[in-house]
Amino acid sequence: MSAVRPELPYPASRWDSGDGPILQVENLSVEFPTREGLVHAVEDVSFRVEPGEVLGVVGESGSGKSVTALAIMGLLPKRSRVRGAIRFRGRDLLALDRTAMRDVRGREISMIFQDPMTALNPVLTVGRQLVEMIRRHQDLDRQEARREALELMDLVGIPAPQRRIDQFPHELSGGMCQRIVIAIAIANRPLLVIADEPTTALDVTIQAQVMEVMTSVQAEVGSALMLITHDLGLVAGTADRVQVMYGGRIMETAPANSIFAEGANPYTLGLLRSLPRLDESGETPLFSIRGAPPSAILRPEGCAFHPRCDYATDQCVVEPPPMVAVGADHLSRCHHIDRVLAGSAAVAESPP
């Protein structure tokens, strides 16, 4: 990889940290009408992304992580019902028409999808796909865009980019394809990159390499990164702040060190306890959260996590918990935070 990336041939506008968050999501709800009933994919979600920070979004499948990302990108199907506000650099993205949103997408916000083999067009060379993204948002001719594409491929660690640029996705490994997807995502130096489980489809031996590439490129380009995953261990050494989602809602959000040292939500503790511990023998059974995530159509009354929670009481069954401040920039959605904090000390003794 190149130590320093050459300057882009256009002025890349940056969002000054003094201007506040680059992304502010306010009371976002997303629903999908189906034959079985109304799917409540995301319910009353509010969060922010600061300039240059890495926000880890963690939760099981079906927790609303990817739907939130697709809502930000404006990629939800037409039948979806979206309420709330998504403010990017002060503009509400939900109020933009399709043409205006296309100008934002790829230039100011980009997304890395979890399966590189389906994210790339199989009948176009990877170079052509890179060049198209560059020329869509930059005033460059095809030759200049190709040179820029080669620089991007070198930046993300593609060996022999002069040869690889004319190859098709099926001629590259899964890890190389994901690096191409990363190159496409950062081609125009976006202010925000959303990575939706970017290592899930990759062999475990190259997951760490791809994560290293993604975070180093993110830091060099200066983008904020919203890293979506089901693995708290993955974000432990990456994220500045962590947001835990369950049942379409945010259950806890805090700086990463606070989450791992003093988790204040039963679901967060369950995820932490599910991580393998180095101080236990191979005969010790791995911990798992009992039960299954709730149906997006028939949500439980009260707290969505109460059927699986060891701290649940009658109050949790009938009364939805509010978000409560636990500490500096640390919020948790639970009726029994004091009891949970008392139980989190043992988990914090063995950080991931």
Side-chain angles (χ1 to χ4, degrees), residues 120-309:
L120 294 172
N121 190 325
V123 300
L124 300 179
T125 66
V126 295
R128 180 173 174 181
Q129 295 179 63
L130 262 168
V131 167
E132 285 187 357
M133 173 59 77
I134 293 168
R135 297 192 70 197
R136 172 65 180 82
H137 298 283
Q138 300 182 41
D139 185 19
L140 299 178
D141 62 30
R142 191 166 296 278
Q143 186 175 4
E144 291 171 327
R146 183 181 173 89
R147 284 198 296 267
E148 174 67 14
L150 287 168
E151 291 172 359
L152 285 163
M153 292 176 69
D154 182 54
L155 177 66
V156 299
I158 297 289
Q162 290 280 3
R163 177 168 60 90
R164 300 290 187 185
I165 195 170
D166 293 317
Q167 292 183 327
F168 292 88
H170 73 271
E171 298 180 274
L172 305 180
S173 67
M176 283 192 184
C177 284
Q178 190 63 299
R179 290 169 190 247
I180 293 294
V181 172
I182 294 171
I184 291 173
I186 56 95
N188 298 294
R189 284 193 170 178
L191 287 168
L192 174 63
V193 176
I194 301 173
D196 188 3
E197 303 197 30
T199 61
T200 298
L202 303 179
D203 188 282
V204 67
T205 58
I206 59 174
Q207 287 185 6
Q209 297 175 19
V210 170
M211 280 302 303
E212 182 180 359
V213 168
M214 188 169 60
T215 54
S216 63
V217 167
Q218 174 260 335
E220 186 169 329
V221 172
S223 305
L225 175 64
M226 184 174 167
L227 175 61
I228 298 172
T229 179
H230 60 273
D231 185 1
L232 264 174
L234 184 65
V235 302
T238 305
D240 301 306
R241 200 156 43 87
V242 179
Q243 180 172 291
V244 181
M245 293 189 69
Y246 181 83
R249 292 194 167 192
I250 297 175
M251 302 301 285
E252 184 171 9
T253 180
N257 58 350
S258 297
I259 286 283
F260 293 107
E262 198 174 37
N265 191 277
Y267 181 57
T268 304
L269 294 191
L271 292 178
L272 287 169
R273 288 172 177 155
S274 299
L275 295 170
R277 293 173 56 138
L278 298 177
D279 59 348
E280 292 179 345
S281 68
E283 299 178 355
T284 304
L286 294 175
F287 175 85
S288 63
I289 303 173
R290 58 185 171 87
S295 166
I297 297 177
L298 300 174
R299 295 282 193 209
E301 296 292 332
C303 177
F305 189 59
H306 85 256
R308 311 173 68 187
C309 182

